[in-house]
Amino acid sequence: MSNNIPSEHVRLLKQFVSLCEAQPELLHAPELEFFRQWLSKLGATLPANKKQESSQSSKINVDEEEHKSSTSQEAEPPKVESDPESDLELDTTGVIAGDNDPPQSMGDANAEVTDAMLEQADVKRSEAQGKLSEGAFEDAISLFTQAIENNPQSAILYAKRAQCYIKLQKPNAAVRDCNRALEINENSQQALKWRGKAHRMLGDWEAAYKDFCKAQISDFDEDVQTWCKEVEANAKKVTEHKRKYERRRETKEIEAKRERIRKAQEAYAKAQQEENERRAREQQARAAGGHQFPGFPGGMGGMGGMGGMGGMGGMGGMGGMGGMGDMGGMSDMGGGAGGADLGGLGAMLNDPEIMEALQDPDVQKAFSEVSADPSKIAAHQSNPKVRKVMEKLAGKFGGAGGPMGGGFPGFPGGMGGGAGASSANDLD
């Protein structure tokens, strides 16, 4: 089975590879699934799908901005990426390190609450409220926990316990309680208030500002209004900083994409130019090969000046035979009495030995060089194969005398008559 691949297919494959090098994300197009599977079978490593990673990263960032994970055991102040073009100066007064205590008891969310449990929860809540007023925050937390275990569906119990955690400088624990309260009641003003305070203590300015603003919608609170003003400046600085960073990131991605496209276009244009040049060379080669003898680049030159041919005036030359394809160049064979036929040329074309000899590379090269420069004929007479063909041609074209008499096809101007030719027959 032949292993030859059409050149057109190879060219298209090269262009596709160049395009993939410039834009690797094209490999993840759905219609190229079969190609990716084949590459994987060969052990190839495919580039990561940047679009999918970007989508997943964006989703994670949105979730983080909504609220901190309720299962997080340790939170640190958010790290803002260094930006040489935008100096981010924040007022970090009051920011503390997050607490690392084990998660507090949240009660059984699926428990069936009875009337007795509700009564017990109210009792514990009242006791806890008293301890909170006295500043006994640890005791208050213990009592609020007992109330929660009796009524795990009360959002206010989690919010009040979060307040105790805030007083004890434990913002992470407060965030967990507030998150649970907001799962029960998303508009709980107390939960939003104390979670905003916890975010502010952790230096999470945007989240704090968002919680404070939403808490004010539910119920106006002077403390919340004061805290909201405290974090507003920092929150807006962080937001603007992120916007600038995102704009620069998008600009860099656009520029990188344009550069990849430019390189792909240049590679495509270069490949197209090379293909056009290759086709032009092939066309020229076909045109040259279809209208001339092999090795005769300019066609058979005119048979000018075949001296000494009795009865025929000097042949005015076989005006440039345009290759032997259509015998289109035998013009001006003047002087022949009553016209002339192909004569020796026809005999040459019908001589298998001559035609076979003309296929020999050495003969082709000799005739090509002599056709371009007749002075080189002497350099090829020492070659037996070339000399034999010359003698054959001389005999076919009727040159008298010596073996080199008569004109030869392909030699501009022809060669003069042999030594024994009589000049008496030349026209005056």
Side-chain angles (χ1 to χ4, degrees), residues 114-147:
T114 64
D115 291 341
M117 294 172 67
L118 288 175
E119 291 179 3
Q120 185 66 16
D122 288 341
V123 171
K124 295 299 180 183
R125 174 184 175 182
S126 297
E127 294 177 0
Q129 193 67 41
K131 293 294 182 181
L132 178 59
S133 300
E134 296 173 1
F137 304 120
E138 292 287 357
D139 293 338
I141 289 174
S142 177
L143 291 169
F144 275 125
T145 300
Q146 294 178 43

Side-chain angles (χ1 to χ4, degrees), residues 204-219:
D204 192 350
W205 309 108
E206 289 179 299
Y209 184 69
K210 182 178 180 181
D211 281 345
F212 289 148
C213 289
K214 190 173 181 180
Q216 287 293 75
I217 295 174
S218 300
D219 187 12

Side-chain angles (χ1 to χ4, degrees), residues 13-72:
L13 181 59
K14 288 181 178 179
Q15 292 179 0
F16 175 71
V17 171
S18 298
L19 188 61
C20 288
E21 289 178 347
Q23 302 184 53
E25 62 270 17
L26 291 178
L27 289 173
H28 294 281
E31 56 269 26
L32 294 179
E33 174 65 23
F34 72 97
F35 187 52
R36 294 194 296 273
Q37 292 178 355
W38 179 70
L39 291 176
S40 298
K41 290 179 180 178
L42 295 179
T45 301
L46 298 178
N49 190 346
K50 294 183 178 179
K51 290 185 178 179
Q52 183 177 0
E53 290 181 351
S54 177
S55 176
Q56 294 176 351
S57 176
S58 298
K59 184 177 184 302
I60 293 174
N61 290 337
V62 170
D63 292 342
E64 290 179 349
E65 289 178 1
E66 287 296 331
H67 57 78
K68 295 291 183 179
S69 173
S70 60
T71 60
S72 173

